[in-house]
Every structure is written in structure tokens, then in C-alpha cells.
């Protein structure tokens, strides 16, 4: 078998360097564990940025995919297929919304929400043509398309990709007052991550989402929650908005909706919003395809049991209690909710990447974000014993830099 080193060198030689992967070449994975090409096992503490909430090779999801592969994989939306109605009804019921618009990747779903909000603004709210404005947050991460990076505040994500799409106002994350002040007659939507994932698992102050909900309602502005990373069980509830009893006008979903098998994304909204889209105005060849819907249906079935939400909440308490013990011991702060944590390591000790590499050497896969922050998001199927073992490895990894 070709060695990890050879495969890494060959990958780097012929691929664009748009990522900076850790030096591990994964060959197979089950549950929370992955195995590299040399047979070494690692505990997955990243879960494909929350795409693998239900674990690698989840039996119910894989069986649904295998069954569907035998029957029908693609029709395009030129025709109906027999998985589509169930997917839309299932996701509609899970979100409590009338309608679903399926896409593939997260960025596409965010783009969809932006287009829907603008059209709603012109056709329903009565905003002057070409004047629609969407309020977004500092340090947001909503994907990589040209429109989305236009309102990013991260120089790496945005730099030299102009000219930029207009129509966005950036305000401070966590300040409802900043949103209230920024709203004008042309504001059609507020786009928010209920917890900012890429920014370092930043949890806004209590009551923030509820206040945004109130401000949006008062001003006839759509509240769009990007739950692509925070949703579908990760935080201990189906949606992170549920922690404040908030129902946004538009849910944006992706990642775990594809069960770690295929890219599946969607937006969910009521008919008075999503009904503005008519034939020919938006779509995707692959969005809502039979394989994606069959996988999505299996994911929705798993979420409907409530088991994963409950498990993420219970194990999340265990994770955060243990991580808090590391504060002062090389860890500056710990944030997060459920099985999702951002750990700020003392920057005088090591960078996030150095800690991630030390974790890799100890058999744990995690990834840094911005400076000295490590992001932890194990699959929800992880055992308590494995969870605690991984935090021990983190403590040991940090200690190795003293
Ligand atoms: C909150 C959020 N929105 C959107 C995206 C983009 O999703 P994708 O990479 O599937 O386009 C991500 C990806 O990390 C995300 O975390």
C-alpha cells in the first residue's frame, strides 16, 4: 500500500492549495473512529465540520443510501420522483415550515435564502427595485461564493475576490441593538448564525436570538437562521434557535442533512415567503435528487426519535465540565453548547495548528480556527469513555508545550 507520506505529497502536487490539511490520510471510518492508510486509529473530533453528527457509516443512513442506489439516483427536477414528497414533508414537519427548497451545499442554501429574501422584499414588503439590504454579522461564515464572501469580514475569505456584491450591512455579532439601529426601510432580512462556528464556536449573549426575533417581527424583516453547522442535534436541540424558543422565518440547513454520505442542503420557510419563487427563478440540477432525499429522509427519521438531541445535550454537559477543568492549565476559555466547543489555548504556549498536530500524534482529529482556538465537534454517537479520553489527550497535548 502507498504510504501516507507519498499520498500527501501526490495530493499536494496536483491539487489547488485551498486547504491546509493535517498530515493524515484516512482510509476508513466507523462511528466516531477513523483509520488511516497505515492502520492507525484516530477519534474524530471534527465530524466533517458537523456533517457527521450521526457518525461515520451510520447503519440506517447507509442502508437508505444503498437501497436508493439500487433503484434511482437522479431525475433532475424536470420530473417528480418518489422520495421527494416525503423529504419535503419530513423536513417541513421537523422545522415547522410549509415549504422546502432543496439544494446541495451549504453555500447554495445561503444563496437561496438571500435570493428569496430579496424577492420577498420587492414583491411582498414593497422595497424599491435594486435597493434590498440584508443585515449580516461580523465574523460570519456562510460559505465561499462570490456574493457570500462579499459580506465576509475575514480578509482571507474576501481579499482579492471583488468586485463585491452590494446589498449587505455588517453589524457586531451579539448586539441586538446594533441590528435595531441598522434596520432601514430597505432591510429585507437579518442573516445570523445562532452560534458562530468558524469564528470559534461563539455563543451570543442569552436573549440575543429572541431579541432579534422581536426586532425582525416589529420591522417586517425576515429572520434567517443559518443552522448549517449548529443545527440537526449538534447543540443538544434540533436547532440552536430552540434554546431560546425562537422560530426564524427561514432555516438554512446543510452538512448533517446529508448524513455524511452526500451533500444535501435546503431552506425551509412558510408559503408567504418561499412562495415568491416561481418556475425558472431558482434551482439546481442535483438539488433534491432521489439519493439525496433518501439519505435526508433517513436523517430526519433519526432526528424524529429525539435520541441524538438528548445524547448531545447529556454528553455535551460531560464535555464542557471536563473542558472547564483545563481553564488555567494552558486553556484560556471554553465556549459552546452541546457536543460543540471552542477552546482558546494560551497563545503564548502554541498556535491552534500546533495543538491540532499534537492531538493528531495522540490519536485525536481536531482542527484549529483563527489563531489559538481549537474547535471540537465529535460525532454524537461517541461514547462517554471516548469523549473523556479525547479531552485527556487535549490536556496532554497542551501540557507538552509547557
Ligand atoms: C454556518 C455555515 N454556513 C454555511 C457554510 C457553507 O457550507 P458549504 O461548505 O457546504 O458550502 C458553512 C460551512 O462551514 C457553515 O458553517
Amino acid at each position: 500500500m502507498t504510504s501516507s507520506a507519498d499520498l500527501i505529497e501526490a495530493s499536494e502536487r496536483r491539487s489547488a492549495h485551498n486547504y491546509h490539511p493535517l498530515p493524515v490520510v484516512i482510509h476508513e471510518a466507523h462511528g466516531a473512529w477513523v483509520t488511516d492508510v497505515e492502520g492507525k486509529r484516530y477519534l474524530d473530533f471534527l465530524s466533517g465540520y458537523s456533517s457527521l453528527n450521526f457518525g461515520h457509516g451510520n447503519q440506517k443512513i447507509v442502508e437508505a443510501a444503498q437501497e436508493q442506489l439500487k433503484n434511482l439516483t437522479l431525475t433532475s427536477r424536470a420530473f417528480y420522483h418518489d422520495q421527494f414528497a416525503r423529504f419535503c414533508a419530513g423536513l417541513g414537519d421537523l422545522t415547522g415550515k410549509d415549504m422546502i427548497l432543496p439544494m446541495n451545499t451549504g453555500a447554495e442554501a445561503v444563496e437561496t435564502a438571500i435570493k428569496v429574501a430579496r424577492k420577498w422584499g420587492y414583491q411582498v414588503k414593497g422595497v424599491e427595485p435594486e435597493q434590498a439590504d440584508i443585515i449580516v454579522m461580523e465574523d460570519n461564515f456562510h460559505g465561499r461564493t462570490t456574493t457570500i464572501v462579499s459580506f465576509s469580514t475575514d480578509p482571507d475569505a474576501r481579499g482579492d475576490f471583488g468586485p463585491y456584491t452590494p446589498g449587505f450591512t455588517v453589524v457586531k455579532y451579539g448586539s441586538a441593538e446594533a441590528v435595531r439601529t441598522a434596520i432601514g426601510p430597505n432591510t429585507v432580512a437579518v442573516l445570523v448564525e445562532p452560534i458562530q462556528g468558524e469564528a470559534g464556536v461563539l455563543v451570543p449573549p442569552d436573549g440575543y436570538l429572541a431579541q432579534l426575533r422581536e426586532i425582525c417581527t416589529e420591522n417586517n424583516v425576515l429572520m434567517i437562521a443559518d443552522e448549517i453547522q449548529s443545527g440537526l442535534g449538534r447543540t443538544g436541540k434540533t436547532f440552536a434557535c430552540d434554546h431560546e424558543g425562537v422560530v426564524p422565518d427561514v432555516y438554512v440547513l446543510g452538512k448533517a442533512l446529508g448524513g455524511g454520505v452526500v451533500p444535501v442542503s435546503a431552506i425551509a420557510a412558510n408559503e408567504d415567503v418561499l412562495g415568491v419563487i416561481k418556475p425558472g427563478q431558482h434551482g439546481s440540477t442535483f438539488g433534491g435528487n432521489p439519493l439525496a432525499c433518501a439519505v435526508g429522509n433517513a436523517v430526519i427519521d433519526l432526528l424524529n426519535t429525539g435520541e441524538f438531541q438528548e445524547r448531545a445535550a447529556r454528553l455535551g454537559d460531560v464535555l464542557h465540565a471536563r473542558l472547564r477543568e483545563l481553564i488555567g492549565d494552558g486553556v484560556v476559555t471554553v465556549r459552546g453548547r452541546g457536543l460543540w466547543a471552542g477552546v482558546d489555548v494560551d497563545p503564548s504556549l502554541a498556535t491552534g495548528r500546533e495543538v491540532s498536530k499534537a492531538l493528531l500524534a495522540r490519536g485525536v482529529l481536531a482542527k484549529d480556527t483563527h489563531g489559538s482556538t481549537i474547535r471540537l465537534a465529535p460525532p454524537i454517537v461517541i461514547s462517554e469513555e471516548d469523549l473523556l479520553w479525547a479531552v485527556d489527550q487535549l490536556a496532554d497535548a497542551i501540557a507538552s508545550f509547557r
Side-chain angles (χ1 to χ4, degrees):
M1 187 182 285
T2 318
S3 72
S4 290
D6 288 346
L7 289 166
I8 289 169
E9 195 275 323
S11 302
E12 288 298 317
R13 195 162 12 99
R14 298 303 294 270
S15 71
H17 295 171
N18 55 331
Y19 281 88
H20 187 21
L22 289 169
V24 55
V25 183
I26 299 168
H27 173 63
E28 78 176 75
H30 304 281
W33 287 89
V34 311
T35 309
D36 75 4
V37 287
E38 272 128 18
K40 182 167 180 210
R41 296 178 79 225
Y42 304 83
L43 191 56
D44 185 353
F45 247 63
L46 184 65
S47 305
Y49 301 100
S50 285
S51 301
L52 288 150
N53 286 1
F54 311 99
H56 291 272
N58 180 289
Q59 195 190 341
K60 295 221 166 85
I61 298 172
V62 168
E63 275 172 14
Q66 283 170 334
E67 202 48 42
Q68 193 58 40
L69 279 171
K70 285 190 241 160
N71 294 338
L72 177 71
T73 52
L74 194 68
T75 55
S76 82
R77 292 286 307 282
F79 314 104
Y80 295 94
H81 63 77
D82 61 3
Q83 298 296 312
F84 190 71
R86 189 179 150 206
F87 177 72
C88 295
L91 195 55
D93 289 349
L94 190 77
T95 54
K97 298 294 183 190
D98 299 339
M99 287 181 158
I100 300 300
L101 200 163
M103 297 294 282
N104 311 284
T105 63
E108 285 176 307
V110 173
E111 288 275 355
T112 304
I114 291 168
K115 284 176 71 177
V116 167
R118 285 179 169 184
K119 200 171 259 303
W120 173 89
Y122 299 125
Q123 298 195 342
V124 180
K125 183 166 176 170
V127 169
E128 291 298 313
E130 302 289 309
Q131 297 303 309
D133 189 63
I134 296 178
I135 296 174
V136 297
M137 307 305 156
E138 270 174 23
D139 299 326
N140 67 72
F141 187 84
H142 297 285
R144 301 289 194 177
T145 62
T146 39
T147 286
I148 293 172
V149 301
S150 293
F151 59 84
S152 171
T153 57
D154 174 352
D156 280 342
R158 188 173 193 272
D160 286 342
F161 293 121
Y164 300 109
T165 307
F168 299 94
T169 299
V170 182
V171 303
K172 193 170 163 12
Y173 184 64
S175 166
E177 269 327 293
V179 170
R180 195 190 293 281
T181 308
I183 285 183
N186 297 326
T187 308
V188 295
V190 172
L191 171 61
V192 65
E193 293 162 84
I195 293 175
Q196 285 191 327
E198 295 300 303
V201 196
L202 300 185
V203 183
D206 281 349
Y208 174 64
L209 298 172
Q211 280 174 285
L212 287 191
R213 173 67 280 178
E214 219 176 277
I215 293 167
C216 286
T217 304
E218 275 169 17
N219 291 279
N220 194 24
V221 163
L222 299 177
M223 179 179 182
I224 304 174
D226 180 346
E227 293 257 15
I228 287 169
Q229 200 167 154
S230 59
L232 309 183
R234 169 63 47 198
T235 65
K237 303 246 184 218
T238 306
F239 303 109
C241 283
D242 294 345
H243 290 279
E244 292 198 20
V246 162
V247 178
D249 297 294
V250 181
Y251 285 102
V252 187
L253 303 171
K255 293 198 193 279
L257 192 56
V261 176
V262 282
V264 185
S265 70
I267 73 163
N270 281 339
E271 192 170 359
D272 57 341
V273 176
L274 204 33
V276 298
I277 296 291
K278 303 290 180 228
Q281 295 177 349
H282 191 60
S284 150
T285 304
F286 295 99
N289 72 70
L291 183 59
C293 287
V295 165
N297 287 335
V299 166
I300 293 161
D301 285 349
L302 292 176
L303 286 167
N304 280 334
T305 66
E307 223 176 274
F308 290 87
Q309 296 88 325
E310 187 274 327
R311 189 177 176 85
R314 184 171 58 79
L315 290 181
D317 287 346
V318 173
L319 174 68
H320 286 280
R322 179 72 187 96
L323 286 174
R324 275 195 299 269
E325 289 172 14
L326 306 185
I327 293 175
D329 238 347
V331 168
V332 183
T333 42
V334 175
R335 297 171 298 274
R337 192 159 266 164
L339 272 180
W340 201 17
V343 177
D344 290 344
V345 175
D346 180 350
S348 69
L349 284 182
T351 63
R353 183 157 179 99
E354 285 166 340
V355 176
S356 298
K357 278 185 156 180
L359 271 173
L360 181 71
R362 288 164 177 77
V364 178
L365 300 185
K367 196 75 169 67
D368 53 301
T369 180
H370 301 294
S372 289
T373 301
I374 312 289
R375 181 181 11 193
L376 304 177
I380 300 170
V381 295
I382 194 171
S383 71
E384 184 169 336
E385 193 188 348
D386 286 347
L387 188 74
L388 292 171
W389 175 81
V391 183
D392 287 346
Q393 303 318 303
L394 177 64
D396 193 52
I398 293 170
S400 71
F401 293 102
R402 285 172 176 276

